[in-house]
Amino acid sequence: QSVLTQAPSASGTPGQRVTISCSGSSSNIGSNYVYWYQQLPGTAPKLLIYRNNQRPSGVPDRFSGFKSGTSASLAISGLRSEDEADYYCAAWDDSLSGPVVFGGGTKLTVL
Amino acid sequence: EVQLLESGGGLVQPGGSLRLSCVASGFTFSNYAMSWVRQAPGKGLEWVSGLSGGGGTTYNADSVKGRFTISRDNAKNTLYLQMNSLRAEDTAVYYCAKDTDWGSGSYVGLDVWGQGTTVAVSS
């Protein structure tokens, strides 16, 4: 199983706000930045959030990242059908599990 | 346009070797750390290896230590992954990715990805 824990699935309806969580430990999320990736079906991952809450150029402000203690979350507001994808959290890990660990991914379905 | 183009994937028998290449364009390659990330069929992402811009610092996942070697040729804007002693569990799409951070690199923040190259290990 993955070092960072994510729920395998999430869902929402268009326009809704959904949150995807990522749980870690003191050696990863607790002491390092969290990153979030979006992977649309059949495509390469795309960086969505870096350094906990920063958005790369071109990423809509509907996407927000949060971190508290050893957990992090990705919030998507104004949900759209094109947001249906897999979402992964990632962090540097200072323990033997590292150096870079990913969550198992959350498949977001837009109903 | 910033681009990464992987090649070198294919079908290989268990215990065999393969070398992946990733050609970069559109940015100053030597200024950025680079990483390889893989994804087994139907599974999540797994970070494999990372290398600093100058090539002096290397990181590897435990699952590939002693078997995989990451390297780069900055004169050719090319990243490599030499994979030896391949196992069935190495079967995956392998992506090369550029670091977000100029200089030392984060190895976690990867803002440009290639399209991936498929490695299948089977007898």
Side-chain angles (χ1 to χ4, degrees):
Chain A
Q1 61 272 28
S2 304
V3 174
L4 303 181
T5 301
Q6 297 181 243
S9 63
S11 63
T13 56
Q16 202 173 23
R17 182 178 190 270
V18 297
T19 301
I20 295 171
S21 298
C22 176
S23 177
S25 67
S26 59
S27 66
N28 41 64
I29 293 178
S31 53
N32 294 292
Y33 290 122
V34 178
Y35 297 75
W36 289 92
Y37 292 89
Q38 177 194 58
Q39 187 176 31
L40 299 171
T43 69
K46 171 188 173 183
L47 181 65
L48 213 53
I49 297 289
Y50 66 100
R51 293 189 181 183
N52 300 336
N53 54 22
Q54 302 299 302
R55 283 186 305 276
S57 173
V59 173
D61 59 6
R62 301 188 296 107
F63 294 90
S64 302
F66 304 90
K67 172 183 154 178
S68 179
T70 59
S71 294
S73 60
L74 172 72
I76 309 172
S77 60
L79 196 62
R80 298 183 176 185
S81 57
E82 57 260 39
D83 297 332
E84 187 161 292
D86 294 323
Y87 292 85
Y88 296 90
C89 57
W92 183 271
D93 193 305
D94 297 318
S95 76
L96 294 178
S97 299
V100 177
V101 290
F102 277 94
T106 297
K107 181 174 181 57
L108 175 64
T109 300
V110 181
L111 302 170
Chain B
E1 182 189 5
V2 178
Q3 256 187 329
L4 297 172
L5 187 62
E6 304 100 332
S7 62
L11 175 63
V12 61
Q13 292 187 337
S17 298
L18 216 52
R19 188 177 84 155
L20 306 183
S21 299
C22 170
V23 178
S25 59
F27 65 101
T28 305
F29 183 66
S30 59
N31 283 350
Y32 292 89
M34 298 290 293
S35 292
W36 289 97
V37 177
R38 69 184 180 183
Q39 187 169 33
K43 302 296 184 182
L45 302 174
E46 180 188 13
W47 185 90
V48 174
S49 294
L51 181 61
S52 61
T57 301
T58 305
Y59 297 98
N60 292 288
D62 269 356
S63 57
V64 305
K65 272 178 186 172
R67 301 188 300 123
F68 290 11
T69 302
I70 188 173
S71 62
R72 65 194 296 161
D73 184 338
N74 286 340
K76 294 183 178 180
N77 287 352
T78 303
L79 179 74
Y80 302 101
L81 185 67
Q82 178 66 44
M83 304 186 297
N84 298 331
S85 303
L86 282 161
R87 306 166 180 167
E89 53 264 36
D90 296 318
T91 294
V93 174
Y94 285 74
Y95 297 99
C96 74
K98 169 190 165 291
D99 209 282
T100 52
D101 290 0
W102 184 97
S104 58
S106 70
Y107 301 96
V108 192
L110 305 170
D111 61 356
V112 180
W113 294 63
Q115 85 290 347
T117 187
T118 300
V119 172
V121 183
S122 174
S123 54

